């Protein structure tokens, strides 16, 4: 044992010695914080602190003694307790921002980008066809082309979601996000220059390519956020992913207003604007670390360095040991494939849960509101301008409630918030139908319809909006996680596509009763969530996976 180590151990095992005359500019809380760090690291190096809870208790006890001895004020105490948190928080915020600005935000932007300028774009389609063939869009061709333009984004998303696992597993989360910007830039170029080229086909092809990119990013971004987050902030940070999607939708709807860029002369700028989030991501994300869960399988030193950067402290031994344990468990098992997810019981059960959660998000009817919100509001006798503003305000409301749920998800839990959201949407859908049926008889029912749509969105934001995106990553260890999330994202995009294609026909043939289909589906998802979905709040992923394995063993014993 070196003399320096001996001195450190002697100092930490008795009492913390503070400098009698601290240097100018160095507060007493900084000195105390430094000594606490030395105490923690020296004891961990001698194997005294083997459990995280013991470490926290001993640290708290030492700090309490110091605070009492030196009469630290409450303000200084807050500074001491937050010294590491502030560094950790700042770097986490930077990593979160760098991740979502070019992925989740971009995904949301291109969900909402066609909503308000629909009329202008259809006129462009019509004029283009007339300039070529001296005829206008027929009655059937017009809705077909527009439906294809909207829904082909989802077809690309399904393809992107399926191939995402290959890139995630072989190149990592961060690298996949960065390279995924290239097809997006190509797609934006096509759409921006479609007017100059007199080709609406360029918009459709661009939507398909950017859909592939969005499918990849919606697989990678929630996984990256989940893996860089501390356990106690995992739900909060993952919920920010949905906030970024909503911000993208809101931004797309604002620039799509006729008074902004939704005009015949400058509508290509609506597509071009989304290149700036990509530039921001390419400038910021390289400064962020790769996911520690990915690095642990390639370079433990890099994984430790990533944790130190993200946490703002060198005290990451406990988390690093958890990653090592996960790595060893995965190494002792055969490599997981797509087939294994369906064949092995303890993988199949969480996969079904993951897929059902994604379906509960999309088949709840929320995208019928997003895709056709302006049309819904106009159908209740609101003017076109008021309907556009109402569409934007509903998304702002969605964003506000999503922020509230971000603070609740790690307090109340995922399951209870998801159930609350589905239940609220269930009753809101019933009232939407009732208000739509009687709006011609009672004029005030038009306003009730708008209110019900708002409540529909509020309850969606409480749980179904964000939770399905990250709960899947909490049900699988690394190795199976990449494949499971890819399949879940494919299911999400498939349901998204189905709603986008089917709802216009539902609206034509069922009219006021179209939302009853969503009512029935919501009831199904409520029952399934109550009976099958586990609570993952504050639990280690290893423990959650172990529960599925133990259930599988019990079933075999019973058989």
């Amino acid at each position: 044992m070196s003399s320096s180590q001996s001195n450190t151990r002697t100092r930490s095992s008795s009492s913390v010695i503070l400098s009698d005359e601290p240097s100018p500019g160095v507060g007493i809380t900084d000195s105390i914080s430094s000594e606490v760090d030395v105490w923690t690291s020296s004891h961990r190096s001698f194997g005294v602190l083997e459990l995280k809870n013991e470490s926290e208790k001993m640290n708290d006890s030492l700090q309490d003694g110091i605070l009492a001895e030196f009469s630290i004020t409450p303000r200084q105490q807050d500074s001491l307790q937050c010294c590491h948190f502030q560094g950790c928080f700042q770097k986490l915020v930077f990593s979160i921002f760098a991740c979502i600005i070019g992925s989740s935000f971009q995904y949301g932007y291109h969900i909402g980008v066609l909503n308000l300028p629909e009329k202008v774009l259809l006129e462009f389609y019509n004029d283009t066809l007339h300039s070529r063939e001296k005829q206008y869009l027929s009655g059937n061709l017009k809705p077909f082309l527009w439906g294809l333009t909207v829904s082909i984004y989802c077809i690309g998303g399904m393809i992107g979601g399926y191939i995402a696992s290959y890139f995630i597993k072989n190149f990592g989360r961060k690298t996949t996000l960065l390279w995924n910007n290239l097809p997006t830039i190509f797609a934006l170029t096509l759409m921006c220059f479609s007017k100059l080229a007199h080709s609406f086909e360029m918009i459709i092809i661009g939507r398909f390519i950017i859909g592939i990119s969005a499918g990849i990013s919606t697989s990678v971004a929630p996984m990256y956020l989940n893996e860089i987050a501390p356990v106690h902030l995992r739900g909060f940070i993952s919920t920010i992913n949905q906030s970024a999607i909503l911000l993208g939708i809101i931004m797309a709807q604002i620039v799509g207003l006729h008074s902004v860029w939704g005009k015949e002369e400058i509508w290509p700028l609506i597509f071009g604007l989304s290149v700036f989030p990509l530039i921001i991501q390419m400038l910021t994300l390289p400064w962020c670390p790769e996911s520690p869960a990915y690095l642990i399988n390639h370079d433990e030193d890099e994984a430790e360095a990533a944790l130190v950067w993200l946490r703002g402290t060198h005290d990451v031994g406990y988390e690093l040991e958890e990653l090592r344990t996960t790595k060893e468990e995965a190494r002792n098992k055969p490599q997981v494939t797509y087939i294994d997810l369906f064949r092995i019981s303890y993988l199949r059960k969480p996969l079904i849960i993951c897929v059902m959660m994604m379906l509960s998000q999309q088949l709840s009817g929320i995208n019928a509101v997003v895709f056709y919100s302006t049309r819904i509001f106009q159908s209740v006798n609101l003017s076109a301008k008021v309907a556009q503003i109402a569409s934007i305000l509903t998304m702002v409301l969605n964003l506000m409630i999503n922020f509230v749920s971000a603070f609740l998800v790690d307090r109340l839990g995922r399951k209870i918030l998801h159930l609350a959201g589905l239940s609220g949407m269930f009753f809101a859908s019933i009232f939407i139908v009732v208000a739509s049926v009687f709006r011609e008889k009672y004029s005030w029912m038009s306003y009730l319809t708008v209110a019900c749509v708002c409540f529909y969105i509020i309850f969606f934001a409480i749980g179904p909006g964000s939770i399905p995106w990250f709960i899947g990553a909490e049900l699988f260890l690394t190795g199976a996680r990449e494949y499971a999330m890819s399949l879940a994202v494919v299911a999400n995009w498939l349901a998204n596509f189905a709603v986008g294609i089917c709802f216009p026909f539902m609206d034509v043939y069922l009219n006021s009763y179209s939302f009853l289909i969503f009512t029935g589906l919501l009831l199904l998802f409520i029952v399934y969530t109550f009976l099958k979905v586990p609570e993952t709040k504050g639990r280690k992923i290893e423990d959650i996976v172990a529960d599925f394995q133990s259930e599988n063993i019990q079933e075999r014993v019973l058989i």
Side-chain angles (χ1 to χ4, degrees):
M1 180 186 301
S2 66
S3 59
S4 60
Q5 287 178 323
S6 176
N7 292 338
T8 302
R9 188 176 183 182
T10 302
R11 292 175 67 187
S12 61
S13 60
S14 55
S15 61
V16 178
I17 302 173
L18 301 176
S19 174
D20 293 333
E21 296 180 1
S23 59
V26 179
I28 190 169
T29 56
D30 296 331
S31 302
I32 295 171
S33 175
S34 176
E35 298 299 333
V36 171
D37 286 345
V38 170
W39 189 90
T40 305
S41 60
S42 63
H43 278 68
R44 178 167 280 106
S45 66
F46 285 94
V48 176
L49 301 182
E50 298 178 354
L51 297 176
K52 185 179 181 182
N53 290 338
E54 293 178 6
S55 171
E56 292 175 347
K57 290 178 181 178
M58 296 176 76
N59 248 332
D60 291 344
S61 176
L62 177 64
Q63 289 189 21
D64 290 343
I66 294 172
L67 295 173
E69 181 177 353
F70 290 92
S71 302
I72 304 299
T73 66
R75 183 174 181 179
Q76 291 172 322
Q77 182 176 348
D78 290 339
S79 176
L80 171 62
Q81 292 175 344
C82 294
C83 58
H84 289 315
F85 173 78
Q86 290 173 352
C88 166
F89 181 76
Q90 291 169 359
K91 291 178 179 180
L92 271 178
V93 168
F94 183 80
S95 299
I96 293 166
F97 173 79
C99 171
I100 63 179
I101 188 66
S103 56
S104 306
F105 179 87
Q106 193 78 240
Y107 163 61
Y109 187 90
H110 289 281
I111 285 179
V113 74
L114 298 181
N115 189 9
L116 298 187
E118 175 182 352
K119 184 177 179 181
V120 174
L121 288 174
L122 281 175
E123 289 177 358
F124 166 68
Y125 282 26
N126 208 15
D127 294 340
T128 301
L129 185 64
H130 183 263
S131 66
R132 292 178 189 171
E133 303 179 10
K134 305 303 179 182
Q135 64 178 8
Y136 292 103
L137 293 173
S138 63
N140 295 327
L141 185 59
K142 185 175 181 180
F144 170 77
L145 280 178
W146 186 249
L148 180 64
T149 305
V150 172
S151 60
I152 203 167
Y153 182 60
C154 303
I155 296 175
M158 284 185 275
I159 296 173
Y162 181 76
I163 65 176
S165 61
Y166 172 80
F167 297 103
I168 295 170
K169 200 170 186 66
N170 291 283
F171 301 104
R173 287 65 161 145
K174 171 184 166 182
T175 304
T176 300
L177 284 171
L178 286 171
W179 282 104
N180 192 42
N181 289 323
L182 295 182
T184 305
I185 292 173
F186 177 66
L188 293 177
T189 303
L190 287 176
M191 292 188 288
C192 285
F193 288 96
S194 59
K195 181 177 174 63
L196 290 176
H198 301 285
S199 172
F200 60 78
E201 293 88 352
M202 291 173 65
I203 296 179
I204 297 174
I205 295 172
R207 290 276 295 174
F208 174 71
I209 296 173
I210 208 168
I212 295 175
S213 177
I216 294 174
S217 66
T218 51
S219 297
V220 183
M223 190 182 304
Y224 180 77
L225 295 175
N226 189 278
E227 291 175 350
I228 68 173
V231 173
H232 64 286
L233 292 177
R234 204 166 58 203
F236 175 83
I237 291 176
S238 297
T239 304
I240 300 301
N241 181 68
Q242 177 66 12
S243 299
I245 296 173
L246 295 173
L247 278 171
I249 295 173
I250 293 169
M251 178 61 70
Q253 291 185 330
I254 290 175
V255 298
L257 287 169
H258 188 269
S259 58
V260 187
W261 287 350
K263 303 174 183 178
E264 182 179 354
E265 301 82 9
I266 58 174
W267 60 259
L269 293 176
I270 297 175
F271 299 115
L273 179 66
S274 62
V275 76
F276 291 103
L278 300 182
I279 295 173
I280 294 172
Q281 183 178 71
M282 289 188 288
L283 292 176
T284 56
L285 192 58
W287 297 96
C288 302
E290 177 58 87
S291 159
Y294 172 80
L295 290 173
I296 196 67
N297 295 310
H298 300 81
D299 190 329
E300 286 196 8
D301 291 337
E302 289 293 328
E304 182 177 7
L307 282 172
V308 169
W309 192 92
L310 289 165
R311 304 295 178 257
T313 175
H314 289 273
D315 186 19
V316 296
Y318 181 76
E319 280 191 86
L320 190 62
E321 188 59 35
E322 283 186 341
L323 291 175
R324 289 196 189 106
T325 302
T326 304
K327 174 185 174 181
E328 292 303 318
E329 289 179 357
R331 180 179 294 176
N332 295 330
K333 296 176 182 178
Q335 188 173 2
V336 176
T337 64
Y338 276 119
I339 296 176
D340 292 331
L341 292 175
F342 297 96
R343 183 176 59 85
I344 302 174
S345 178
Y346 68 83
L347 294 177
R348 184 173 62 250
K349 286 184 177 180
L351 175 65
I352 294 173
I353 292 172
C354 194
V355 169
M356 288 293 287
M357 292 289 282
M358 286 294 196
L359 293 179
S360 71
Q361 181 190 77
Q362 295 298 334
L363 298 183
S364 65
I366 190 61
N367 274 345
V369 174
V370 174
F371 284 148
Y372 302 102
S373 56
T374 303
R375 188 179 301 175
I376 290 173
F377 289 134
Q378 286 179 331
S379 69
V380 294
N381 301 322
L382 294 180
S383 66
K385 185 176 181 179
V386 174
Q388 289 181 346
I389 295 174
S391 296
I392 296 174
L393 291 178
T394 55
M395 288 298 103
V396 173
L397 179 64
N398 193 344
L399 178 63
M400 293 171 60
I401 302 300
N402 188 75
F403 274 126
V404 174
S405 72
F407 291 95
L408 297 177
V409 68
D410 284 315
R411 295 175 178 269
L412 301 180
R414 286 79 158 130
K415 184 173 182 176
I416 189 170
L417 285 181
H418 197 68
L419 281 172
L422 292 175
S423 301
M425 294 174 75
F426 171 78
F427 290 107
S429 66
I430 295 175
F431 283 108
I432 287 175
V433 173
V434 172
S436 299
V437 170
F438 291 102
R439 70 172 183 263
E440 294 183 0
K441 187 175 182 180
Y442 304 101
S443 59
W444 57 270
M445 281 288 183
S446 297
Y447 300 100
L448 179 60
T449 303
V450 175
C452 290
V453 168
C454 292
F455 279 110
Y456 201 85
I457 290 175
I458 287 174
F459 284 108
F460 175 79
I462 288 175
S466 58
I467 293 173
W469 285 115
F470 67 85
I471 195 170
E474 297 179 327
L475 302 179
F476 295 92
L477 295 174
T478 302
R481 185 181 302 153
E482 294 89 344
Y483 294 113
M485 289 298 292
S486 289
L487 289 177
V489 168
V490 169
N492 185 285
W493 281 97
L494 179 61
N496 193 338
F497 171 75
V499 172
I501 286 292
C502 296
F503 185 74
F505 295 99
M506 291 164 52
D507 194 33
V508 170
Y509 293 105
L510 299 178
N511 200 1
S512 300
Y513 298 95
S514 56
F515 266 81
L516 282 180
I517 294 178
F518 298 125
T519 303
L521 289 170
L522 284 165
L523 181 60
L524 171 65
F525 293 127
I526 290 170
V527 173
Y528 181 85
T529 302
F530 180 78
L531 296 177
K532 297 294 184 179
V533 177
E535 180 55 72
T536 60
K537 179 192 71 172
R539 300 184 64 194
K540 293 190 295 184
I541 296 175
E542 294 83 355
D543 295 338
I544 299 170
V545 172
D547 286 347
F548 287 112
Q549 293 173 338
S550 63
E551 288 177 8
N552 185 45
I553 294 173
Q554 292 174 2
E555 289 176 359
R556 289 183 178 181
V557 171
L558 291 175
I559 293 174

